[in-house]
């Protein structure tokens, strides 16, 4: 990821509509699985600047965070996060069968991940039997745009591709769904705009401020939570996938 992106992420991830909406969808999954249960051991693989691990993931148990970037971990510490490790998701510094839940939100698609399949096998290794993986990944190769240049995207996925990866890495597929369907048309328009008028410098989507529409967009995305977590959405700009280590 472009090193400047960490400061931007840290600055916006508590209030930007995209993060708020994605947090609502993620919590809809986690509430169903873990609400009112014994605290669990959670690994957030590719924790970035730490919003997920220090806010909503912490509600379900004890959270460990790891990331390849020292800059990301520095921001995690500013948030008061402990239990941090600098490592690659392709080679995790934890023993087998350590965690009940591993989350990895928008990480495995990055160029700095040498192999998504091997990384999934590694996540499977550190999960306990019956443990769960919750992934979020960007969808559709044809939606590659200037944002992907900034975050160093290696690959965007379709639902069948994610399902194959989960199976090949030894997970039992629990649930896979697209998400962020309502705002896909807006992203397509932005992509067409970039084609017609290429920006002087690639810009991450996070740099775009929604202003007075921030709350509305957050509610639109959060409003997808019930569909994403139950019947599933047939299209969208992101993919959520849950798998169980048999
Ligand atoms: C788009 S950010 C997502 C961060 C966070 N999960 C979130 O949802 O905000 C991708 C993160 O993956 C990390 N990353 C990239 N390659 C990695 C690797 N091989 N191992 C661990 N983390 C990696 C980056 O440093 C960055 O923090």
């Amino acid at each position: 990821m472009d090193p400047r992106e960490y400061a931007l992420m840290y600055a916006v991830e508590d209030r930007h509509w995209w993060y708020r909406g994605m947090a609502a969808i993620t919590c809809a999954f986690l509430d169903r699985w873990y609400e009112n249960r014994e605290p669990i051991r959670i690994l957030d693989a590719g924790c970035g600047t730490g919003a997920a691990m220090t806010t909503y993931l912490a509600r379900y148990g004890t959270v460990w965070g790891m990331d390849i970037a020292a800059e990301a971990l520095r921001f995690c510490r500013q948030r008061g996060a402990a239990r941090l490790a600098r490592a690659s998701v392709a080679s995790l510094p934890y023993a087998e069968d350590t965690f009940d839940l591993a989350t990895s939100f928008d990480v495995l698609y990055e160029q700095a991940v040498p192999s998504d399949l091997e990384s999934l096998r590694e996540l499977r290794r550190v999960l306990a039997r019956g443990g769960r993986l919750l992934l979020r990944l960007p969808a559709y190769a044809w939606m590659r745009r200037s944002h992907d240049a900034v975050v160093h995207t290696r690959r965007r996925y379709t639902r069948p591709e994610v399902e194959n990866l989960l199976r090949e890495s030894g997970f039992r597929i629990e649930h896979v769904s697209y998400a962020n369907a309502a705002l896909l048309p807006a992203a397509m328009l932005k992509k067409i705009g970039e084609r017609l008028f290429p920006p002087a410098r690639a810009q991450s989507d996070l740099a775009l401020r929604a202003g007075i529409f921030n709350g509305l967009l957050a509610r639109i995305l959060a409003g997808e939570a019930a569909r994403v977590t139950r019947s599933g959405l047939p299209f969208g700009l992101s993919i959520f996938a849950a798998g169980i280590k048999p």
Side-chain angles (χ1 to χ4, degrees), residues 190-206:
K190 179 172 180 278
K191 180 181 161 71
I192 292 168
E194 284 176 2
R195 275 280 169 83
L196 296 175
F197 309 101
R201 194 167 65 83
Q203 203 186 33
S204 132
D205 286 353
L206 292 182

Side-chain angles (χ1 to χ4, degrees), residues 15-63:
R15 60 174 196 281
H16 191 285
W17 65 268
W18 190 88
Y19 282 101
R20 284 165 54 188
M22 287 300 178
I25 296 173
T26 308
C27 288
F29 278 115
L30 299 179
D31 283 349
R32 196 160 90 219
W33 295 325
Y34 303 113
E35 201 178 28
N36 302 324
R37 302 267 171 94
E38 290 291 297
I40 54 169
R41 294 164 64 94
I42 304 168
L43 172 66
D44 191 19
C47 57
T49 49
M53 67 176 294
T54 55
T55 58
Y56 55 89
L57 288 179
R59 297 211 296 261
Y60 304 91
T62 308
V63 190

Side-chain angles (χ1 to χ4, degrees), residues 1 6 19 46 48 67-68 88-89 105-106 109-110 112-113 136:
M1 215 162 82
Y6 295 103
Y19 282 101
D67 201 284
I68 203 165
S88 173
V89 69
F105 300 135
D106 285 301
Y109 72 104
E110 290 215 348
V113 176
R136 190 181 67 222

Side-chain angles (χ1 to χ4, degrees), residues 7-199:
L8 181 58
M9 230 160 71
Y10 180 73
V12 304
E13 64 189 346
D14 290 320
R15 60 174 196 281
H16 191 285
W17 65 268
W18 190 88
Y19 282 101
R20 284 165 54 188
M22 287 300 178
I25 296 173
T26 308
C27 288
F29 278 115
L30 299 179
D31 283 349
R32 196 160 90 219
W33 295 325
Y34 303 113
E35 201 178 28
N36 302 324
R37 302 267 171 94
E38 290 291 297
I40 54 169
R41 294 164 64 94
I42 304 168
L43 172 66
D44 191 19
C47 57
T49 49
M53 67 176 294
T54 55
T55 58
Y56 55 89
L57 288 179
R59 297 211 296 261
Y60 304 91
T62 308
V63 190
W64 281 254
M66 54 76 50
D67 201 284
I68 203 165
E71 185 68 352
L73 297 173
R74 191 172 68 76
F75 283 117
C76 289
R77 280 186 211 99
Q78 280 184 32
R79 288 183 172 280
R83 294 178 288 273
L84 294 168
R86 185 173 182 203
S88 173
V89 69
S91 176
L92 293 168
Y94 310 103
E96 283 179 24
D97 305 334
T98 302
F99 300 101
D100 305 299
L101 170 69
T103 56
S104 188
F105 300 135
D106 285 301
V107 177
L108 298 185
Y109 72 104
E110 290 215 348
Q111 288 166 15
V113 176
S115 159
D116 44 12
L117 179 61
E118 289 310 317
S119 302
L120 284 169
R121 290 191 173 128
E122 187 61 356
L123 286 164
R124 181 182 183 278
R125 181 184 68 76
V126 300
L127 277 171
R129 286 203 189 136
R132 179 179 276 116
L133 172 71
L134 180 62
L135 285 179
R136 190 181 67 222
L137 291 166
Y140 308 134
W142 50 266
M143 273 307 296
R144 192 178 270 269
R145 55 201 189 282
S146 80
H147 172 82
D148 293 279
V150 179
V151 298
H152 299 174
T153 300
R154 181 176 43 80
R155 175 177 184 190
R156 302 181 65 99
Y157 299 79
T158 60
R159 179 180 166 160
E161 286 169 350
V162 174
E163 289 171 348
N164 281 342
L165 278 170
L166 282 178
R167 261 185 231 108
E168 275 181 58
S169 53
F171 284 96
R172 174 170 64 73
I173 296 172
E174 185 180 30
H175 188 84
V176 184
S177 172
Y178 288 100
N180 199 1
L183 299 163
L184 179 61
M188 288 164 78
L189 282 178
K190 179 172 180 278
K191 180 181 161 71
I192 292 168
E194 284 176 2
R195 275 280 169 83
L196 296 175
F197 309 101

